[in-house]
Amino acid sequence: MRTAKVGALLLILGPTSVASVSFARAAPDCPISVTLADWGENSTGDLTVAPGESCQFPIKLTGTVSSSDISQKPGHGKLKKINASTYQYTAKARYKGNDAFAITATGKGQKASGTSVITMQVTIK
């Protein structure tokens, strides 16, 4: 369906026009190892990423995330909030070593509700 719309757009623009179409791809989920607590308890975890690469970090506590914010920025990369339950980490190009960040999230599950701090240790290799 998308190809048909692009083709129709090219017909409307005519042969002398140049159309540039790019489809943005979301970064893959970060390969993580995390010990998830329940809402109101803190969690810690580890993730690995290559220099200059990006990956998404979804908050996977059981239940619903109502809000979240970055409580500790990474020192050797960037952390971008996609929505209340997903962040994107991008490692600094040509850097290999360790990094860390923390996210404070508030939510509600079947057993508990509250605010949790999720601290992630990052290995960039």
Side-chain angles (χ1 to χ4, degrees):
M1 185 70 173
R2 189 174 277 180
T3 306
K5 288 181 181 178
V6 171
L9 178 63
L10 291 174
L11 287 174
I12 293 169
L13 292 173
T16 59
S17 299
V18 176
S20 174
V21 179
S22 65
F23 300 103
R25 278 188 260 155
D29 281 357
C30 297
I32 62 172
S33 168
V34 65
T35 304
L36 292 175
D38 210 341
W39 287 108
E41 300 173 0
N42 296 335
S43 300
T44 59
D46 300 295
L47 72 87
T48 303
V49 66
E53 294 294 316
S54 296
C55 62
Q56 288 191 2
F57 173 73
I59 298 171
K60 293 186 178 182
L61 289 170
T62 303
T64 305
V65 179
S66 57
S67 66
S68 68
D69 286 302
I70 299 168
S71 52
Q72 176 189 335
K73 292 181 181 181
H76 300 287
K78 293 183 181 181
L79 189 62
K80 176 183 172 185
K81 184 176 182 176
I82 304 296
N83 57 46
S85 64
T86 306
Y87 287 79
Q88 181 171 307
Y89 177 81
T90 303
K92 186 175 181 179
R94 295 181 297 280
Y95 175 80
K96 291 184 180 183
N98 297 319
D99 202 357
F101 64 84
I103 297 167
T104 301
T106 302
K108 182 177 182 178
Q110 291 180 346
K111 296 180 182 180
S113 62
T115 300
S116 301
V117 177
I118 304 165
T119 304
M120 296 300 295
Q121 299 297 319
V122 182
T123 301
I124 304 168
K125 60 180 183 176

